[in-house]
Amino acid sequence: MTATYLYNFQRLVIHNKPWILTPPIGALGGYLAQWMNWPLPWMIGALVGVALYRCLGHSTQAIPQGVKVGQWIIATGIGLHFNQQVMIEILAYFDVILLGTLVALSTSIVGIFIHRHYGEDLATAYFASMPGGANEMVNLGRLNGADLARIAAGQSLRMVLVLLIVPASYTWLFGDAHGSNLIHYPVNFAWLALLLFLGALVGQRFQHWQVPNAWQLGALLVSITVSVTFDLHIGLPTGAGEFGQWLVGSTLGCYFDRAFFRRAPAFMLRMSIATLSIMVLSIPIALMLGWMSNLDMRTLMLGMMPGGIAEMSLTAEALQLLVPLVTAMQVLRLLIVLFMAQPIFRQWYRYRESRK
């Protein structure tokens, strides 16, 4: 009788709150990843844990507003790496940052040609290969007659491949990425409260204006502006960054289930090959730019990876690389893609039509 009541109670709770199992599964994955010394354990572990649970045939959904809160916290912490001296250095190397970003973006043509070679239409191949946010590329694909399911699947796969491969590869090649040697800045709760409050206001306003990654970009903008203006040298309290990673990782894991991997397997294989090719191509580009500018090649390469702002910046933080440089390159790449992807596509499309 007790077992029956418990079973019915569980069914009722899961029915009313289909996300209820996501937090503990993500937390278990994060804990195990930390125990196994994975890089970015609370993000990658939570992602893998939730994705495996869903691939086993169980149903669970993303934590409501979880990714927004996670991005809000993480972006605030990333912005605190900026100060007046760092900003002077970033501006001094802006030409290198812009060149590296543009060259890295140009490697996306590899994915476009791979997909086109195997018969994919131009719009789908193009927007699936652009290293922008999944939602934004799906929206642009919708305006240009692309296959939206393939764009969403391709963008999600690219993001997760970069997240799973890059931190682990950097840890193996360049050293410890578990934070044991990190510089711990003092915590100032008054400043943090102000930053989080203003970041939430700007993030909400950006969301109202339909700005992509509104909460991440809003919090990042506020944190950088205030930190540079007042030359702050503070950090997040212990555990805050991990909490944000857990929320984001648990949400990312909900993108994947059996149906995801069964959907167009040949397309997914091509997407994987294209993503790996772009990552490999970033190595000689970073070497060349590092030789030209005397900037750290590892930092430049991380800034050119087709991943997310938060994930690549957190990897730089764990390895004590120049987080603001990585963040600047990632943000610049995102802005270029958002504002230039559609105009370039339409020019390309008109050019192809005129040649027929």
Side-chain angles (χ1 to χ4, degrees):
M1 185 68 68
T2 302
T4 302
Y5 281 131
L6 181 60
Y7 175 74
N8 290 333
F9 174 76
Q10 289 175 332
R11 287 191 61 188
L12 180 63
V13 170
I14 294 174
H15 177 75
N16 292 327
K17 298 182 184 295
W19 54 269
I20 197 69
L21 293 177
T22 302
I25 294 169
L28 177 60
Y31 173 79
L32 292 175
Q34 187 176 54
W35 178 68
M36 291 186 289
N37 288 326
W38 285 12
L40 303 185
W42 288 97
M43 182 176 287
I44 297 176
L47 186 157
V48 172
V50 173
L52 284 176
Y53 180 79
R54 288 172 58 83
C55 287
L56 290 173
H58 304 295
S59 177
T60 187
Q61 296 182 9
I63 305 167
Q65 311 301 322
V67 71
K68 293 180 183 178
V69 175
Q71 289 179 337
W72 173 50
I73 295 171
I74 291 171
T76 300
I78 292 171
L80 292 174
H81 285 274
F82 287 77
N83 54 53
Q84 292 177 4
Q85 182 59 41
V86 166
M87 185 58 71
I88 291 171
E89 293 177 12
I90 292 295
L91 293 175
Y93 289 104
F94 183 76
D95 54 344
V96 178
I97 294 172
L98 179 60
L99 177 61
T101 303
L102 291 174
V103 174
L105 270 175
S106 69
T107 61
S108 299
I109 202 167
V110 173
I112 298 172
F113 280 117
I114 288 176
H115 291 311
R116 290 288 292 153
H117 180 73
Y118 287 95
E120 209 69 56
D121 66 271
L122 179 60
T124 302
Y126 181 88
F127 290 107
S129 301
M130 283 292 105
N135 293 335
E136 293 72 39
M137 293 304 102
V138 167
N139 289 334
L140 292 177
R142 181 182 291 109
L143 296 174
N144 292 280
D147 186 326
L148 304 187
R150 293 201 173 197
I151 293 176
Q155 291 286 343
S156 300
L157 182 62
R158 174 187 57 78
M159 175 179 58
V160 170
L161 280 174
V162 173
L163 179 57
L164 293 178
I165 293 172
V166 172
S169 299
Y170 264 63
T171 302
W172 179 60
L173 292 171
F174 303 127
D176 182 20
H178 313 309
S180 59
N181 298 315
L182 288 178
I183 299 173
H184 295 283
Y185 292 101
V187 178
N188 187 310
F189 287 101
W191 275 114
L192 288 176
L194 177 63
L195 289 172
L196 290 168
F197 174 72
L198 293 176
L201 287 181
V202 175
Q204 191 173 44
R205 180 51 53 183
F206 278 7
Q207 183 177 330
H208 177 72
W209 293 337
Q210 298 184 337
V211 175
N213 292 328
W215 283 76
Q216 179 171 259
L217 290 178
L220 188 62
L221 175 63
V222 167
S223 186
I224 291 173
T225 301
V226 175
S227 186
V228 171
T229 301
F230 295 96
D231 202 25
L232 302 180
H233 292 267
I234 63 174
L236 294 177
T238 302
E242 288 79 2
F243 178 74
Q245 291 181 44
W246 163 66
L247 287 173
V248 173
S250 297
T251 299
L252 293 178
C254 292
Y255 291 160
F256 302 95
D257 54 19
R258 292 179 184 177
F260 178 90
F261 293 103
R262 289 172 179 167
R263 189 183 305 130
F267 175 83
M268 305 293 274
L269 177 61
R270 294 196 299 270
M271 194 71 209
S272 301
I273 293 171
T275 301
L276 292 172
S277 300
I278 292 170
M279 292 165 62
V280 170
L281 284 173
S282 70
I283 298 173
I285 298 171
L287 285 170
M288 179 189 67
L289 290 175
W291 174 75
M292 291 170 54
S293 63
N294 290 323
L295 287 172
D296 181 51
M297 180 273 293
R298 301 169 301 167
T299 304
L300 289 168
M301 187 164 59
L302 199 56
M304 290 186 289
M305 287 293 165
I309 298 169
E311 294 84 357
M312 297 302 97
S313 298
L314 287 171
T315 302
E317 180 183 61
L319 287 162
Q320 301 185 69
L321 302 177
L322 187 56
V323 176
L325 177 59
V326 174
T327 305
M329 295 183 75
Q330 291 287 334
V331 171
L332 184 59
R333 186 206 70 212
L334 177 62
L335 293 176
I336 291 172
V337 170
L338 292 177
F339 288 105
M340 297 303 298
Q342 180 161 276
I344 291 173
F345 170 77
R346 291 187 170 174
Q347 288 291 336
W348 189 358
Y349 183 80
R350 282 195 288 266
Y351 174 74
R352 288 180 69 252
E353 290 299 306
S354 68
R355 296 289 299 272
K356 289 183 180 179

